[in-house]
């Protein structure tokens, strides 16, 4: 009788067409209410001799069916995998498409290039939030409350939320404050990021980018500032003898302050960089004001340093001959295709930044 059951179960196992069907066979044979299990339950009513013999036979049957189930399961799983591999087949020998569609935005590219140059000089990258408070954006930077210099910035204020009025940072200089409050000198950071001012015309967009630099140490002086910026500009614009001119200026957070011009030539609506006698302003800089150091918990009798801030769009336009600032943010794919950069062509000093 068990032989008949065995044949029947084995043929059911082999006939199972897929894994769920096979599992059904398993439950019917070996599950709690399965047929073999049913016979097992009857063993208790037999005499000891009969029980031993029948028990051994049932165990053998059970093992055999379990083994058949396992074998069939492996078979079905292999067939399933084979079918899937067939269906999801991919010819990896096909050549890559000749051109990738995506482009790196010139702003991203320009910031990556700047970071690559400053990283080589030993700067690390610091970041701060776009939504700032008055303290970090102004007060700690030596803009006293009510000071007219605050009006120079056309600030976007957020709706007043009690005692702390938040704003969209008008420059990357608040990252100087955050860095000085959170770390100890020597400090050598650059901070690239978005900045905001309520302004819109040919040369201004309400959102733009800056890169900030900050160096604080015991003997840092204006000569270091000059050397650092000369070195940077020559590497960035790839003009070995690019002249730089430092003009006295004013920022509340630096003393002395300067604006930096680079040499250029304007001819027939074109602009060429180099030693031609004409000048173009590209950045602001200076020695960090003692009031700023003190507001950030740094002993101004022991430490001093320099800072600079540069508009990213401005230098990107200069370097890559992009005529209109506003086009940067129009998200026009044709523009991006023309001015954008191929992904993975990552800026690196050793390869040369401009290829
Ligand atoms: N934060 C200044 C601006 O946005 C630039 C600057 C930075 C000047 C650091 C001096 C030092 O105009």
């Amino acid at each position: 009788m068990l032989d008949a059951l065995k044949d029947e179960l084995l043929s059911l196992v082999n006939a199972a067409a897929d894994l769920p069907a096979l599992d059904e066979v398993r439950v019917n044979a070996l599950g709690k209410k399965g047929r073999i299990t049913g016979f097992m339950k009857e063993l208790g009513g037999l005499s000891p001799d009969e029980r031993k013999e029948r028990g051994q036979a049932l165990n053998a049957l059970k093992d055999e069916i379990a083994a058949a189930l396992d074998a069939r399961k492996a078979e079905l799983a292999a067939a399933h995998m084979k079918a899937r591999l067939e269906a999801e087949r991919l010819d990896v020998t096909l050549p890559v498409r000749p051109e990738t569609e995506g482009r790196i935005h010139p702003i991203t590219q320009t910031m990556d290039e700047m970071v690559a140059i400053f990283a080589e000089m030993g700067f690390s990258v610091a970041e701060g939030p776009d939504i700032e408070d008055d303290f970090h954006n102004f007060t700690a930077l030596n803009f006293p409350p009510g000071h007219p210099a605050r009006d120079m910035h056309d600030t976007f204020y957020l709706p007043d939320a009690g005692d702390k009025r938040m704003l969209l940072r008008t420059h990357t200089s608040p990252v100087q404050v955050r860095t000085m409050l959170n770390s100890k000198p020597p400090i050598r950071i650059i901070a690239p990021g978005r900045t905001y001012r309520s302004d819109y015309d040919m040369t201004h967009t309400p959102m733009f980018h800056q890169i900030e630099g900050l160096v604080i140490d015991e003997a840092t002086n204006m000569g270091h500032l000059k050397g650092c910026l000369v070195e940077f500009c020559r590497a960035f614009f790839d003009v070995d003898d690019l002249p730089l001119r430092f003009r006295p200026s004013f920022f509340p957070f630096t003393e002395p302050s300067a604006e930096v011009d680079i040499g250029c030539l304007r001819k027939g609506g074109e602009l060429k960089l180099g030693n031609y006698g004409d000048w173009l302003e590209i950045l602001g800089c200076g020695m960090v004001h003692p009031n700023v150091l003190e507001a950030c918990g740094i002993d101004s009798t022991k430490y001093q340093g320099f800072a600079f801030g540069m508009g990213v769009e401005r230098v990107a336009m200069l370097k890559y001959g992009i005529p209109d600032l506003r086009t940067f943010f129009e998200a026009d794919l044709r523009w991006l295709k023309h001015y954008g950069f191929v992904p993975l062509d990552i800026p690196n000093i050793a390869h040369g930044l401009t290829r």
Side-chain angles (χ1 to χ4, degrees):
M1 199 194 108
L2 285 188
D3 280 347
L5 178 60
K6 178 171 116 182
D7 290 346
E8 187 193 335
L9 289 176
L10 285 178
S11 66
L12 283 174
V13 167
N14 289 324
D18 54 25
L19 291 170
L22 185 67
D23 201 52
E24 207 170 304
V25 177
R26 181 189 62 80
V27 172
N28 282 334
L30 304 174
K32 264 194 199 143
K33 291 181 182 151
R35 294 167 69 186
I36 297 178
T37 321
F39 286 128
M40 292 279 196
K41 283 181 188 156
E42 288 167 9
L43 289 175
L46 301 179
S47 71
D49 284 348
E50 280 174 326
R51 191 187 308 148
K52 189 175 170 204
E53 197 185 318
R54 179 89 172 155
Q56 277 172 354
L58 278 172
N59 271 330
L61 174 62
K62 194 176 133 188
D63 289 347
E64 199 169 335
I65 297 302
L69 282 164
D70 280 349
R72 182 68 185 152
K73 189 170 173 181
E75 227 172 83
L76 288 173
H80 177 71
M81 178 56 88
K82 194 164 171 239
R84 229 186 109 186
L85 287 173
E86 257 334 293
E88 296 174 13
R89 194 186 180 110
L90 196 72
D91 186 351
V92 293
T93 65
L94 277 175
V96 290
R97 299 214 165 85
E99 227 189 324
T100 15
E101 279 298 314
R103 286 288 183 281
I104 302 294
H105 195 282
I107 292 295
T108 308
Q109 173 78 15
T110 302
M111 291 201 296
D112 287 351
E113 290 173 9
M114 293 171 154
V115 168
I117 297 170
F118 285 116
E120 201 82 2
M121 295 187 204
F123 285 77
S124 49
V125 173
E127 284 180 316
D130 289 16
I131 299 177
E132 264 297 0
D133 53 36
D134 191 89
F135 174 77
H136 292 91
N137 196 81
F138 290 126
T139 309
L141 288 165
N142 198 32
F143 290 79
H147 191 280
R150 289 181 178 223
D151 301 337
M152 285 161 43
H153 280 200
D154 301 308
T155 312
F156 283 116
Y157 286 99
L158 271 68
D160 205 339
D163 54 340
K164 240 170 125 192
R165 187 157 65 152
M166 304 298 280
L167 48 84
L168 295 180
R169 66 178 180 190
T170 57
H171 49 179
T172 40
S173 303
V175 184
Q176 289 188 33
V177 177
R178 290 183 177 275
T179 306
M180 287 189 271
L181 285 172
N182 292 327
S183 52
K184 286 201 166 60
I187 291 170
R188 209 183 298 173
I189 56 113
I190 48 164
R194 283 189 238 270
T195 48
Y196 308 81
R197 290 183 201 180
S198 180
D199 211 347
Y200 187 67
D201 59 31
M202 272 287 283
T203 50
H204 297 88
T205 49
M207 188 278 298
F208 58 104
H209 299 76
Q210 288 189 340
I211 188 162
E212 189 86 8
L214 176 70
V215 172
I216 304 286
D217 211 335
E218 286 182 42
T220 308
N221 60 47
M222 197 94 185
H224 297 128
L225 166 62
K226 213 171 160 182
C228 172
L229 291 175
V230 168
E231 199 53 36
F232 167 78
C233 289
R234 292 184 175 167
F236 178 77
F237 292 110
D238 205 16
V239 178
D240 286 344
D241 61 347
L242 184 68
L244 268 72
R245 180 171 78 173
F246 287 68
R247 260 185 305 108
S249 184
F250 172 79
F251 301 102
F253 38 93
T254 46
E255 182 59 36
S257 303
E259 274 169 324
V260 175
D261 301 336
I262 52 175
C264 71
L265 176 69
R266 292 183 176 88
K267 220 171 100 189
E270 271 204 48
L271 188 77
K272 218 170 134 186
L273 298 181
N275 192 4
Y276 301 108
D278 205 353
W279 299 99
L280 180 78
E281 181 197 324
I282 62 155
L283 63 88
C285 63
M287 300 304 295
V288 179
H289 197 294
N291 288 356
V292 176
L293 295 170
E294 295 297 336
C296 298
I298 292 181
D299 181 354
S300 66
T301 61
K302 184 164 177 213
Y303 292 104
Q304 55 185 351
F306 64 79
F308 55 87
M310 195 173 351
V312 177
E313 284 77 3
R314 183 91 201 256
V315 294
M317 288 165 78
L318 274 175
K319 181 166 176 178
Y320 293 114
I322 303 173
D324 186 345
L325 170 67
R326 289 176 290 197
T327 56
F328 275 99
F329 309 116
E330 279 168 1
D332 181 337
L333 280 178
R334 292 163 306 176
W335 183 91
L336 193 56
K337 189 127 195 157
H338 182 76
Y339 289 111
F341 293 81
V342 180
L344 301 182
D345 205 1
I346 295 160
N348 174 317
I349 297 269
H351 290 170
L353 291 170
T354 29
R355 276 191 274 177

